[in-house]
Amino acid sequence: MSNESLQTIKKILALVFINIMVLLLSGCWDRKEVNDLGLVTAAGIDKISDKTIELSVLLYIPKSAGSGQSMNGGSEVGDAQTLVRSAKGVTIAEAMSKLQEKLPRHIFWGHTEVFIFNEKLAKKGLLKHVDFIIRHPQLRERSQLFISKQKAKEVLSLLPPLERDLAAVLRELESLKVGMEVTVKDFALMVLSESGDSAVPWIKMLPPEGGKKKKETIAYIAGTAIFQKDKMVGKIDDSITRGVLWLRNDIRLATVTVKPKGANGYVSLSLQNASSKLIPKVDNGKWKVLLKANAEADIVQNTTQLDMTNIEVIKNLQHQLKKEVENRVKLALVHVQKDMKADIFGFGDTFNRKYPDLWKRDKYRWNEIFPNIEVTIDLDIKIRRQGMNSVLSAIIPEEVKQK
Amino acid sequence: MIEKGKISGSQMAIMMNPAIFATVLLLVPAITAKHAKQDMWLSPIWSSLMGFLAVFLAYKLNKIYPRNTLIEYCELILGKVLGKILGALYLFFYFHITGIIVREYGEFVSGTFLPHTPMLFIFGTMILVCSFAVYGGLEVIGRCSEMIVPVVLFLYLVIFIMLLKDLDIRNMFPLMANGLAPSIKGSIVPQSWFSEYILIAFFLPYLTNREKGLKWGLISVASVMFFIVLTNFTSLLLFGNLTSTLTYPVMIATQYISIAEFLEHLEAIVMAIWVAGTFIKITVFYYALTLGTAQWLKLSDFRPLVFPIGFLLISFGAWSAPSLQELSHFLSTSAPFYLLSLQIIVPFILLIIALIRNKFLRKKETATG
């Protein structure tokens, strides 16, 4: 009897305990419902005065599928999908708290993929703002950084015709790997590297097509902003950026057009499997870097009358292709190494890796050494495939003549 | 003997793995990186020597006193009064250490995931769960870890594999630019973690196959070393010089995972690893503490002590440090000396005294006999 009653008491206690657990597990202090969150997909920071900045956030507005259209009577494309709000402050964090006053939803940073900084702000130094991005537990180090020509607020409030919002546009553009790809981590790493110079993609607004509204356009990656330490010192356009990509081993896709010697017209080639390596060398106190790169090329268009199955022609073409790429690299060196004197290629790091003792000794005069480093270029580009036809354009003109 | 359960050598090895590794995972890579820079992956290899030494000491002591734990043979070696004092010292030490572990757990969870939840609540719930495991005894803890640890380690490897494409091997060079000194300096803090292996002194008496205790202990140390090297490699190759400035490199590394713009936002995995790992870690320490206290007081059962000690641990967790900075500062400055002296030097002295005593006794026996 007593044993039985003891067991029932035990059972009751267990039940009570489980119920208490349910109460405790159901809610905690940090509960956040999705419909209370304002998802930030991109953020832009502008300079207002020497001390104050303006933070603009692009919020994602979840569309209630289907129902919205009839209610609004066919609203314009993209009209209701994005929302940009901004607030001023001394730091991003302060601006954010002011922004929160104007937003009915809790600002959630976990999905922020793009950060746009205005040029003017970048010239004052970026690291103090990047600090917020790294420090905040919700923000991701994979967020992409951009420097914009126009005000970041204006850029964010664009209504892209094709993508959902500007964050998506920039992310897609970046994934095509036509320009540099710089995440918050990459930027911090570059600033902390031996030379401390960095580079960030530079965007500007594309003029809208005729007949479209002023805002119905996108911003695109038009070049690269060059930084000494974390301060922007200049920018290079997209064609020079290609050369920088070769030096940084970031080149993935490239189309090069060459004009073969003695031929009428051009040959376009697309490069694949490109990779490059920097090999430092110090000779009698002279600092040198050898850029060793290799790639494969496919012929994509041939407007000349050369026969692309001819091995001699291909050899010639290979030679010219190398020249062309070499020129790109040299152009990048002239602008970035000689003019801006910013080591965004990681020369300092390569020297440190190979000659740690020498680097320790001469690091203090790196600013003098860097612009005078001699760069030799050793390219190995092979033309592998000729495409789907061999000499189409070589045949047609003859037919024309016969007529 | 108070504890009637038995565990196998492999169970001990499995449960000691997260007992060391779980907290190394978070704060230690950054602390190591501060000293060792690009040689940080070497540091755990040096510091694991301390782990091997601790296992060896515990095994040797256990050979002399096969049926007793650390607290018990303190008394057998040093005599009643001194032994009791040293035992009390050890108990306080384990109180403090377990409090720190509890605090690290709370700091991480509230710092990254639940900023508004009171920390007392975070580690209070954890201690509650741990106390059930401790109440169940050694066998329960052993089986629990057999279930949890493989999953934890598997998830950890998954994180590593998903980061492979973002790693940059160049961050490793120049190798040993300043000689071995930086990597050895960097190994001092992990050494204190490895010295926690002396804890197996509490488990060796309850092994089913005691002669294999040494082997499994060493395997366990090696496995921990492997995972710490892997951790340091990942954070070094991903973040380079940035590692030392991050608070929780592994956490940020996991946030960095992005595969095909689809497999993202995987921090929850770190959370799972962390909670499961620390659960084992706290349970192991908590168990040793409870068993030790019962043995020190010569009680016939340790179970009545479980909940009161759990309650004390919550307060130790709250008191152990005022903030994360202080905690991190303590761990990187005074903790190595504190932990190493009690977990390596004192057992070493105990072992020497025990060996001398044994010889002396044997001589006496042969003389009289």
Side-chain angles (χ1 to χ4, degrees):
Chain A
M1 179 60 202
S2 67
N3 200 16
E4 227 169 76
S5 62
L6 201 71
Q7 278 206 329
T8 32
I9 288 169
K10 263 191 179 174
K11 266 183 196 164
I12 290 166
L13 272 178
L15 266 176
V16 168
F17 193 77
I18 288 167
N19 281 316
I20 291 172
M21 289 272 259
V22 168
L23 284 176
L24 286 175
L25 290 171
S26 62
C28 64
W29 283 261
D30 289 279
R31 172 189 57 92
K32 273 179 208 147
E33 302 293 336
V34 182
N35 52 5
D36 294 333
L37 293 179
L39 301 181
V40 178
T41 55
I45 295 109
D46 289 307
K47 188 184 146 192
I48 296 295
S49 70
D50 274 345
K51 282 204 179 128
T52 48
I53 55 154
E54 186 178 36
L55 169 75
S56 313
V57 294
L58 179 64
L59 290 155
Y60 176 66
I61 301 178
K63 262 194 298 186
S64 45
S67 66
Q69 283 180 342
S70 56
M71 298 289 275
N72 294 341
S75 63
E76 280 168 59
V77 183
D79 205 26
Q81 290 177 46
T82 57
L83 170 69
V84 177
R85 285 282 158 88
S86 48
K88 298 183 180 78
V90 183
T91 61
I92 299 184
E94 194 201 330
M96 179 188 147
S97 67
K98 285 190 182 152
L99 192 66
Q100 187 69 76
E101 291 169 10
K102 301 181 201 163
L103 268 175
R105 291 190 177 194
H106 192 93
I107 297 176
F108 183 74
W109 289 102
H111 291 267
T112 315
E113 275 150 345
V114 170
F115 279 90
I116 301 172
F117 291 89
N118 183 252
E119 262 182 9
K120 285 180 194 134
L121 191 73
K123 280 174 185 152
K124 291 270 162 193
L126 270 194
L127 205 59
K128 52 191 172 209
H129 303 299
V130 170
D131 175 80
F132 173 75
I133 306 175
I134 297 181
R135 200 175 294 272
H136 199 291
Q138 278 174 5
L139 284 168
R140 264 143 231 287
E141 276 62 26
R142 208 190 252 300
S143 317
Q144 311 280 358
L145 286 182
F146 295 96
I147 305 298
S148 77
K149 185 177 180 230
Q150 285 88 357
K151 273 190 79 177
K153 191 181 174 183
E154 283 170 31
V155 174
L156 284 178
S157 48
L158 291 178
L159 301 169
L162 201 54
E163 299 289 341
R164 194 190 66 226
D165 58 21
L166 200 84
V169 170
L170 288 175
R171 245 199 35 236
E172 293 296 325
L173 281 175
E174 192 108 282
S175 68
L176 296 174
K177 305 216 191 259
V178 283
M180 274 186 79
E181 190 180 4
V182 177
T183 64
V184 171
K185 178 212 91 171
D186 296 333
F187 179 77
L189 215 55
M190 277 192 270
V191 174
L192 286 177
S193 74
E194 292 297 333
S195 57
D197 298 333
S198 50
V200 177
W202 182 75
I203 56 171
K204 75 179 190 201
M205 282 201 247
L206 192 71
E209 278 174 47
K212 291 274 171 94
K213 280 190 186 149
K214 208 181 142 209
K215 276 194 159 185
E216 279 177 36
T217 178
I218 59 163
Y220 71 106
I221 302 171
T224 307
I226 309 295
F227 286 71
Q228 262 177 5
K229 304 286 168 194
D230 68 324
K231 292 189 173 63
M232 182 174 162
V233 290
K235 53 180 180 268
I236 53 177
D237 66 15
D238 51 344
S239 65
I240 301 172
T241 303
R242 316 293 303 167
V244 173
L245 292 180
W246 277 102
L247 283 155
R248 285 179 54 90
N249 188 21
D250 277 338
I251 196 98
R252 290 295 167 263
L253 283 171
T255 304
V256 184
T257 304
V258 294
K259 189 172 189 302
K261 246 181 247 162
N264 234 339
Y266 300 90
V267 178
S268 288
L269 301 112
S270 90
L271 293 178
Q272 270 134 20
N273 301 330
S275 70
S276 67
K277 210 160 81 181
L278 295 174
I279 301 165
K281 201 174 178 188
V282 180
D283 244 0
N284 301 328
K286 272 201 84 139
W287 298 54
K288 290 178 189 165
V289 170
L290 170 69
L291 169 72
K292 234 183 145 83
N294 48 51
E296 289 176 10
D298 285 1
I299 296 166
V300 285
Q301 194 177 3
N302 172 18
T303 64
T304 65
Q305 284 157 25
L306 295 168
D307 180 2
M308 291 296 145
T309 49
N310 187 334
I311 293 171
E312 279 306 310
V313 172
I314 292 289
K315 264 191 185 160
N316 225 330
L317 211 57
Q318 246 167 229
H319 184 72
Q320 258 169 328
L321 186 61
K322 277 184 205 168
K323 269 263 141 51
E324 182 64 33
V325 173
E326 227 177 281
N327 285 341
R328 285 186 177 188
V329 175
K330 277 182 183 155
L331 196 66
L333 285 171
V334 166
H335 278 85
V336 181
Q337 187 196 10
K338 307 279 183 205
D339 286 0
M340 295 179 200
K341 300 187 174 56
D343 178 15
I344 60 169
F345 318 113
F347 284 178
D349 282 318
T350 55
F351 277 108
N352 176 36
R353 276 179 208 124
K354 194 158 178 201
Y355 303 101
D357 297 328
L358 187 72
W359 176 256
K360 244 182 277 166
R361 209 187 66 207
D362 283 353
K363 196 179 163 184
Y364 72 98
R365 53 184 202 98
W366 177 242
N367 286 344
E368 301 162 34
I369 298 169
F370 175 69
N372 299 317
I373 289 176
E374 200 184 303
V375 182
T376 33
I377 301 162
D378 176 15
L379 289 169
D380 180 19
I381 301 178
K382 295 223 160 61
I383 296 176
R384 295 275 183 218
R385 281 161 290 265
Q386 54 174 1
M388 297 300 183
N389 62 27
S390 54
V391 277
L392 193 63
S393 54
I395 300 165
I396 295 167
E398 281 170 22
E399 285 174 354
V400 173
K401 268 180 216 160
Q402 279 167 9
K403 279 179 187 172
Chain B
M1 272 206 274
I2 300 177
E3 173 63 61
K4 296 194 178 57
K6 288 264 177 199
I7 54 169
S8 68
S10 59
Q11 272 176 328
M12 181 189 77
I14 287 172
M15 102 195 175
M16 285 308 288
N17 182 301
I20 310 301
F21 181 57
T23 42
V24 172
L25 184 66
L26 295 169
L27 286 169
V28 177
I31 298 174
T32 312
K34 249 171 227 150
H35 300 287
K37 301 252 159 55
Q38 72 274 18
D39 294 333
M40 64 184 281
W41 58 276
L42 263 173
S43 300
I45 300 175
W46 305 135
S47 42
S48 70
L49 294 177
M50 215 39 95
F52 289 120
L53 183 63
V55 168
F56 185 72
L57 285 176
Y59 175 74
K60 275 282 171 196
L61 280 166
N62 184 255
K63 258 201 151 169
I64 303 170
Y65 305 102
R67 292 171 63 81
N68 301 100
T69 67
L70 185 62
I71 302 291
E72 285 173 315
Y73 51 64
C74 273
E75 228 175 296
L76 293 172
I77 293 168
L78 295 175
K80 189 130 190 155
V81 180
L82 273 178
K84 279 276 184 220
I85 293 173
L86 187 63
L89 199 66
Y90 265 114
L91 293 179
F92 270 113
F93 170 74
Y94 278 118
F95 252 121
H96 188 197
I97 291 298
T98 318
I100 288 174
I101 297 164
V102 168
R103 179 61 178 233
E104 281 176 80
Y105 166 76
E107 282 288 349
F108 176 70
V109 173
S110 73
T112 53
F113 290 99
L114 307 172
H116 303 296
T117 312
M119 208 187 287
L120 271 180
F121 186 80
I122 292 173
F123 48 64
T125 43
M126 184 52 134
I127 296 273
L128 187 68
V129 181
C130 292
S131 58
F132 291 142
V134 174
Y135 199 85
L138 194 54
E139 278 188 13
V140 171
I141 300 172
R143 260 176 270 147
C144 253
S145 27
E146 257 182 328
M147 246 165 59
I148 294 170
V149 178
V151 179
V152 167
L153 296 183
F154 172 74
L155 284 178
Y156 191 70
L157 286 176
V158 166
I159 289 182
F160 176 73
I161 289 165
M162 288 197 285
L163 276 170
L164 273 181
K165 75 178 174 73
D166 293 310
L167 301 183
D168 184 0
I169 195 86
R170 287 179 303 175
N171 286 335
M172 245 177 90
F173 300 101
L175 273 181
M176 289 182 263
N178 299 312
L180 282 175
S183 66
I184 291 176
K185 239 191 211 163
S187 79
I188 293 172
V189 172
Q191 266 175 29
S192 51
W193 258 268
F194 272 108
S195 70
E196 286 170 357
Y197 258 102
I198 201 73
L199 216 62
I200 67 165
F202 287 92
F203 304 123
L204 284 174
Y206 309 115
L207 289 193
T208 45
N209 41 356
R210 266 197 314 111
E211 61 287 353
K212 283 193 178 158
L214 182 65
K215 186 185 122 194
W216 281 110
L218 297 181
I219 289 174
S220 185
V221 177
S223 75
V224 172
M225 181 187 84
F226 170 75
F227 278 101
I228 301 179
V229 169
L230 197 66
T231 310
N232 285 3
F233 252 125
T234 319
S235 24
L236 176 65
L237 298 190
L238 188 60
F239 295 121
N241 290 337
L242 199 60
T243 314
S244 60
T245 67
L246 303 170
T247 314
Y248 303 119
V250 174
M251 172 74 194
I252 294 188
T254 317
Q255 283 189 337
Y256 201 77
I257 293 175
S258 164
I259 290 176
E261 290 179 25
F262 170 69
L263 217 52
E264 289 175 339
H265 301 249
L266 297 171
E267 305 93 288
I269 294 186
V270 182
M271 184 68 160
I273 291 177
W274 176 238
V275 173
T278 2
F279 163 68
I280 303 287
K281 174 153 188 157
I282 295 175
T283 307
V284 166
F285 276 77
Y286 189 176
Y287 172 78
L289 177 63
T290 316
L291 185 72
T293 313
Q295 285 172 338
W296 191 75
L297 294 169
K298 299 248 186 301
L299 299 184
S300 57
D301 192 6
F302 68 87
R303 285 184 175 82
L305 288 174
V306 172
F307 289 104
I309 285 179
F311 200 75
L312 277 176
L313 282 179
I314 295 177
S315 39
F316 263 89
W319 292 335
S320 58
S323 67
L324 179 64
Q325 285 85 350
E326 293 258 352
L327 186 66
S328 181
H329 180 75
F330 169 75
L331 291 175
S332 51
T333 51
S334 39
F337 301 99
Y338 176 48
L339 273 87
L340 287 177
S341 57
L342 269 166
Q343 300 192 106
I344 298 290
I345 297 171
V346 174
F348 188 66
I349 295 169
L350 282 179
L351 178 65
I352 289 173
I353 297 175
L355 285 174
I356 294 170
R357 237 184 124 121
N358 264 21
K359 231 176 209 171
F360 187 67
L361 280 180
R362 220 169 284 152
K363 259 186 201 157
K364 225 173 162 185
E365 268 168 34
T366 46
T368 50

